[in-house]
Amino acid sequence: MAQFTKLKSFEALQAHFEQTKTLHMRDLFAQDATRFEKFSTKACDIELDYSKNRITEETMAKLFDLARETQVEEKRDGLFAGAKINTSEDRAVLHTALRNKSGEPVIVDGQDVMPEVEAALAKIKTFVNDVHNGVRKGYTGKQFTDVLAIGIGGSFLGPKVMTEALKPYRHEGINVHFVANVDGTHIHDVLAKLPAESTLVVMSSKSFGTQETLKNTETAREWFLASGAEFGDIAKHFVCVSSNIAKATEFGIAEDNIFPMWDWVGGRYSLWSAIGLPIALSLGFENFSELLEGAYEMDVHFKTTPLEENLPVILGVLGVWYINFYGAQSHVLLPYDHYLRAFPAYVQQLDMESNGKSATPGGEYLDYATGPVIWGGEGTNGQHAFHQLIHQGKVLIPADFMLPLQSQHEVSNHHAMLASNCFGQTQALMQGKTEAEVIAELKAKGYSEDDAAKEAPQRVFEGNKPSNTLLFSKITPRTLGNIIALYEHKVFVQGIIWGINSFDQWGVELGKVLGNDVLAKLEDSNIALDGDSSTNALIERFRQR
Ligand code: F6P
């Protein structure tokens, strides 16, 4: 497949962009009272309003042509069927099998993986129920009160963000704490407040080779033994999730305490596997199942809905429109829901680790932009901080606003105020405020014609800033499953259009290798400093501390 900028549909979009780039959304709305009906759609528990984008019906038709010409539909079918689309690692990509509720087999290398998936879920269920019911206890016979979840990247962000987002659904009596960073301050502070006798440690590492996770687990093990426990008690308190059974047993985790995962599940797509064990421990197995059901619902939508009504496809092609035609370099996520405040951090890994690529699997370097910088934060906080740049800065930043129609806690009229801010922001970004409007306002306040004209530019809002609004009835485990799978598939669609492999992450490797080399030099001052002058000097400073 040729790089997408060489395709007919891309050329047609390029010509269309030149014709439409000066259109203002304010005029498009004024000209067409049915714009919302035309550019909004609903799937699962998500209603998507994408009318506040710099698009016409022709734009969307051409973007769908691009999706078709880049074979999004065929490749999507390959994804669900277990094709080895992660070519650089020769792996299938089957996070969808983890939430497959169709009853149909999913074949990898001639083998149906569903029995293994079901067996892992059954193991999670029994374990979680045993912990919650006190069948499984700590070494002194106390029921578990706390879970220390150790992992990083995909073995951390999903569980952390889901348990935070679903706080109202938590199982009483169990508190889950996360440690990811190798910064000793973090584990120090968390361990300081945990009772060793009633703390269960869940170590999650697909590879069982990640420096931070191994170190934090060792530190937790020392802390546990220092509390008076015997070596043999470790088996009662330490479990792990990994696809590397050999390394996990070598580390001392009893085989029975290892929850499996597979190399056909990418780290950032793994919360649906036993990597989600901390979620199930926090929310109960039923709620974890609901999360999987929600993701499955979105899978069915993605798999069966025509591109024109397909939520992940719509979000995906809109992103491509701004990145590759308007030159947008970032995309902001704005959840108007306090419990979803860490959602942007989750999508950051999902999107940036997947699509931060600059070559095709066929060995060609790309001469066009791929994945954007993903950032964001909860509304309304951002309005008093970084929204200024989105409204009046010189860079174009497409936004996704997210709002549940019902709050988890209806306090006074807080939720109406929250919603008014969310909708008001999308409106302000779209319509802006013209110079004529600003001058009229200033003159009404008593400014002279000259002063008003001089003052106006700083107060003008260009408008025409694109945003999507995603509404949900309420954040439930099922709805959250819908949302996460929606973003997973959006990233997939974009990766297909850009012709990249969204499922490897070679970009994280070099830093790991050099970090290990530096660690040896920090810990042994006899090792010669043979690097560049900056790194040598930094190591020297540390050695001298
Ligand atoms: O360093 C990046 C990464 O490899 C991510 O892709 C992954 O989610 C994370 O590290 C953790 O990896 P593991 O689960 O193997 O410890």
Side-chain angles (χ1 to χ4, degrees):
M1 163 84 60
Q3 292 191 17
F4 92 118
T5 47
K6 313 251 163 32
L7 300 177
K8 269 210 174 86
S9 52
F10 183 90
E11 280 169 21
L13 272 163
Q14 190 69 58
H16 175 72
F17 169 72
E18 292 302 330
Q19 284 157 12
T20 57
K21 65 183 179 193
T22 54
L23 293 179
H24 200 294
M25 280 190 269
R26 196 170 39 223
D27 302 323
L28 297 175
F29 271 97
Q31 287 155 13
D32 183 0
T34 64
R35 193 169 163 85
F36 170 79
E37 279 75 44
K38 280 189 184 134
F39 300 118
S40 62
T41 185
K42 189 165 185 219
C44 312
D45 188 32
I46 303 176
E47 183 163 11
L48 170 67
D49 170 13
Y50 61 103
S51 59
K52 291 189 183 103
N53 277 291
R54 292 168 78 161
I55 51 166
T56 62
E57 282 169 286
E58 200 185 338
T59 318
M60 291 311 292
K62 288 187 158 30
L63 286 168
F64 295 128
D65 286 347
L66 177 69
R68 290 209 165 84
E69 201 178 355
T70 49
Q71 299 182 338
V72 164
E73 288 154 308
E74 291 82 348
K75 304 238 165 108
R76 170 196 62 192
D77 296 344
L79 167 83
F80 283 97
K84 292 205 171 169
I85 57 176
N86 179 359
T87 45
S88 73
E89 296 178 305
D90 192 29
R91 288 174 183 170
V93 174
L94 274 174
H95 44 284
T96 53
L98 301 168
R99 61 228 190 184
N100 168 26
K101 305 292 166 198
S102 69
E104 301 292 322
V106 179
I107 310 294
V108 178
D109 291 330
Q111 193 96 33
D112 180 11
V113 299
M114 287 316 297
E116 279 181 85
V117 170
E118 299 299 343
L121 280 172
K123 183 166 170 150
I124 296 172
K125 182 177 180 178
T126 307
F127 182 79
V128 168
N129 288 342
D130 285 355
V131 170
H132 286 178
N133 300 332
V135 173
R136 193 176 168 122
K137 293 191 173 79
Y139 74 100
T140 60
K142 282 200 174 154
Q143 197 161 334
F144 288 113
T145 55
D146 294 89
V147 172
L148 171 60
I150 301 176
I152 199 163
S155 298
F156 155 68
L157 282 160
K160 166 87 165 40
V161 172
M162 300 314 126
T163 50
E164 209 166 89
L166 296 170
K167 187 175 173 204
Y169 300 86
R170 283 185 192 166
H171 180 87
E172 286 224 353
I174 282 275
N175 289 311
V176 181
H177 315 262
F178 292 90
V179 172
N181 199 341
V182 77
D183 183 345
T185 299
H186 193 189
I187 193 146
H188 168 272
D189 280 5
V190 173
L191 291 179
K193 60 184 182 202
L194 289 181
E197 280 174 285
S198 58
T199 295
L200 176 71
V201 180
V202 179
M203 184 266 207
S204 302
S205 177
K206 176 182 169 183
S207 59
F208 214 96
T210 304
Q211 183 203 51
E212 294 92 328
T213 304
L214 292 174
K215 185 70 210 170
N216 281 325
T217 307
E218 272 169 27
T219 301
R221 193 170 53 180
E222 278 163 27
W223 160 84
F224 177 69
L225 292 173
S227 78
E230 302 284 326
F231 197 81
D233 297 327
I234 289 176
K236 287 202 167 105
H237 284 253
F238 282 69
V239 301
C240 92
V241 185
S242 186
S243 62
N244 196 336
I245 314 281
K247 271 198 170 178
T249 29
E250 196 183 302
F251 186 85
I253 310 263
E255 200 156 343
D256 214 33
N257 284 347
I258 302 173
F259 289 80
M261 69 176 296
W262 306 273
D263 64 7
W264 40 263
V265 183
R268 54 196 172 272
Y269 299 87
S270 64
L271 76 94
W272 323 101
S273 71
I275 292 290
L277 184 59
I279 308 176
L281 285 162
S282 175
L283 310 177
F285 186 78
E286 294 310 314
N287 283 322
F288 182 62
S289 296
E290 279 285 298
L291 191 71
L292 301 188
E293 291 276 352
Y296 175 65
E297 279 177 1
M298 183 52 71
D299 291 344
V300 173
H301 166 77
F302 178 51
K303 208 165 143 178
T304 58
T305 310
L307 302 189
E308 285 73 8
E309 292 298 318
N310 198 309
L311 258 56
V313 175
I314 294 170
L315 290 183
V317 297
L318 284 171
V320 169
W321 181 230
Y322 293 118
I323 292 164
N324 300 105
F325 295 90
Y326 283 91
Q329 295 192 347
S330 84
H331 189 97
V332 66
L333 298 176
L334 302 166
Y336 278 65
D337 183 287
H338 180 61
Y339 290 149
L340 281 182
R341 63 192 177 280
F343 180 72
Y346 176 78
V347 179
Q348 223 164 37
Q349 186 200 13
L350 172 65
D351 199 320
M352 294 169 78
E353 202 169 36
S354 296
N355 285 345
K357 310 282 166 66
S358 36
T360 68
E364 290 166 290
Y365 291 106
L366 304 178
D367 60 1
Y368 49 83
T370 54
V373 174
I374 299 289
W375 62 290
E378 70 181 305
T380 59
N381 299 11
Q383 292 176 208
H384 302 277
F386 54 76
H387 281 222
Q388 165 67 35
L389 181 85
I390 311 175
H391 284 287
Q392 283 192 314
K394 293 295 288 175
V395 283
L396 183 73
I397 306 175
D400 287 357
F401 286 82
M402 314 175 88
L403 176 83
L405 294 173
Q406 275 180 51
S407 170
Q408 302 286 8
H409 308 288
E410 293 286 344
V411 184
S412 176
N413 67 336
H414 280 256
H415 203 57
M417 290 175 80
L418 184 71
S420 69
N421 275 285
C422 175
F423 303 158
Q425 286 292 312
T426 71
Q427 195 177 22
L429 287 168
M430 180 275 286
Q431 70 184 28
K433 199 171 176 184
T434 63
E435 195 168 77
E437 285 167 341
V438 175
I439 289 179
E441 240 178 52
L442 291 172
K443 280 165 65 183
K445 282 187 188 154
Y447 279 66
S448 70
E449 186 80 42
D450 275 1
D451 286 350
K454 195 174 155 209
E455 182 65 25
Q458 297 173 81
R459 304 189 190 213
V460 166
F461 287 64
E462 186 189 13
N464 222 11
K465 313 283 188 199
S467 70
N468 298 306
T469 304
L470 292 93
L471 298 178
F472 329 108
S473 44
K474 189 174 180 176
I475 299 296
T476 62
R478 188 175 279 260
T479 302
L480 195 60
N482 295 165
I483 298 170
I484 300 295
L486 166 62
Y487 278 88
E488 284 179 351
H489 294 321
K490 173 200 163 176
V491 166
F492 172 79
V493 168
Q494 294 187 328
I496 295 303
I497 293 176
W498 288 321
I500 55 182
N501 177 358
S502 300
F503 300 101
D504 58 15
Q505 56 284 318
W506 297 107
V508 302
E509 294 305 323
L510 179 60
K512 286 186 195 172
V513 173
L514 295 184
N516 283 334
D517 177 58
V518 171
L519 181 60
K521 289 174 177 160
L522 293 179
E523 293 187 328
D524 181 354
S525 49
N526 293 319
I527 302 181
L529 299 183
D530 54 359
D532 61 88
S533 63
S534 162
T535 313
N536 288 350
L538 296 171
I539 294 171
E540 197 54 58
R541 291 288 180 284
F542 194 88
R543 280 178 173 177
Q544 287 163 6
R545 78 197 170 124

